[in-house]
Amino acid sequence: PSTPGTQYKSIKEQLDDGVRGLHLNIQQGSSASQVVLCYPDCDVNSGGTLQTTLKVVKEWLDANENDVVSIFLEGVATDASPAAVIKAFSDTGLDDYALKGKPSAWPTLSSMISSGTRLVVFVEEPSIVAANTQGYFITYAGVVLKLDGPFNYGAEWTCGPWNKTTESILLIPHFIVQTASYNGKTYTNMPYPFNLGTTNGYQYEFHAVSCRGGQSIWVNFMEVDFYDQGDIKTPTLKLNELPYPGYDIDSFYPEFYDEDPDLPDL
């Protein structure tokens, strides 16, 4: 594309890198049966068809049997045809992996892997959810608490809205946009691929921890642009209480610790 998208890497590369949540902005394509991915719109940046992307996800799940992926179809009042969205899932066979129905309690990852339901699909537009008679489109309403965002560079990260009711999934948009003109049209939500060492560095962890402190549910998803820039891996591992690859608790003790017989064994 002639302007930056929101990521530098392909969908497959993202999944290979450990990304497990994909946010796809859907719009109607050139025909009634086609749905395309665009941001902020198709005049600026087109990410191809929804079906092409879903095929990549299906092939990746086929090859990675112990992984779970979530897809967020974003766009309130989108002009994307509900029938065309459903068809994209069924034609690729990705619907076979989808968790069906809003669960009263979220299953564990291990149980989802065992049952073969290794895909969760959240949909922002209610009419698309209603059109899916198989029930594998899970509505944002009452399920996903999506916090404020995106933000302009230099603005304070905020954590509203403070109106959790029944939501059980916490989604934090952590990315920056800019106002820019393209082909004579001004956009207020163009991607901002600058200062990523800061945005995708300590500010990422600060934003997650700060907003978690004001909500009664844990952080489930952080929506990040240009995730491979800066360092989001370290704070993500910390938020999940996981060790950095190649390290364990022993790695953070000085050498003399094991040499002193009076100190307890680790």
Side-chain angles (χ1 to χ4, degrees):
S2 55
T3 59
T6 58
Q7 305 295 343
Y8 290 130
K9 292 192 173 185
S10 69
I11 294 293
K12 183 181 183 303
E13 288 173 321
Q14 293 176 47
L15 293 169
D16 287 342
D17 283 349
V19 172
R20 293 296 178 265
L22 302 173
H23 290 76
L24 308 178
N25 291 78
I26 55 175
Q27 298 183 29
Q28 188 64 37
S30 57
S31 68
S33 62
Q34 185 185 72
V35 178
V36 292
L37 308 178
C38 302
Y39 185 84
D41 63 26
C42 296
D43 291 335
V44 175
N45 196 304
S46 176
T49 68
L50 173 62
Q51 183 163 332
T52 298
T53 292
L54 296 184
K55 182 180 178 183
V56 173
V57 177
K58 170 64 163 57
E59 292 173 349
W60 193 89
L61 284 172
D62 288 343
N64 295 269
E65 298 179 352
N66 293 315
D67 286 283
V68 175
V69 173
S70 297
I71 292 177
F72 293 79
L73 296 182
E74 300 217 314
V76 176
T78 176
D79 61 354
S81 160
V85 174
I86 295 169
K87 188 174 186 298
F89 278 84
S90 60
D91 284 357
T92 58
L94 193 55
D95 56 341
D96 292 338
Y97 281 123
L99 179 70
K100 294 177 174 61
K102 172 189 171 183
S104 56
W106 288 102
T108 63
L109 293 178
S110 61
S111 67
M112 293 175 70
I113 292 167
S114 298
S115 64
T117 53
R118 298 187 288 116
L119 177 73
V120 183
V121 185
F122 298 101
V123 181
E124 194 169 24
E125 171 52 43
S127 65
I128 297 177
V129 177
N132 188 327
T133 57
Q134 295 187 50
Y136 59 80
F137 287 169
I138 299 175
T139 179
Y140 274 38
V143 177
V144 179
L145 181 61
K146 183 177 181 179
L147 300 190
D148 293 335
F151 301 86
N152 293 320
Y153 186 73
E156 181 181 357
W157 304 107
T158 58
C159 300
W162 309 100
N163 58 350
K164 178 186 178 298
T165 54
T166 61
E167 294 89 357
S168 55
I169 298 295
L170 181 58
L171 168 62
I172 301 179
H174 180 82
F175 59 99
I176 292 174
V177 295
Q178 61 181 322
T179 298
S181 296
Y182 183 78
N183 281 349
K185 182 178 179 181
T186 299
Y187 296 86
T188 60
N189 56 345
M190 292 282 274
Y192 186 80
F194 310 106
N195 305 104
L196 294 170
T198 300
T199 301
N200 291 354
Y202 77 90
Q203 287 190 359
Y204 171 90
E205 182 175 5
F206 174 79
H207 191 188
V209 173
S210 298
C211 290
R212 166 64 185 93
Q215 306 292 345
S216 58
I217 52 178
W218 187 241
V219 181
N220 301 104
F221 296 94
M222 295 286 288
E223 189 175 2
V224 179
D225 284 354
F226 312 107
Y227 76 92
D228 58 318
Q229 306 297 303
D231 176 23
I232 67 167
K233 176 179 284 188
T234 300
T236 298
L237 290 169
K238 290 170 63 178
L239 288 167
N240 286 281
E241 298 183 351
L242 295 172
Y244 199 79
Y247 291 83
D248 56 27
I249 191 171
D250 292 354
S251 305
F252 301 94
Y253 284 86
E255 291 183 2
F256 67 78
Y257 195 95
D258 285 335
E259 297 173 358
D260 191 331
D262 296 327
L263 295 175
D265 292 336
L266 295 177

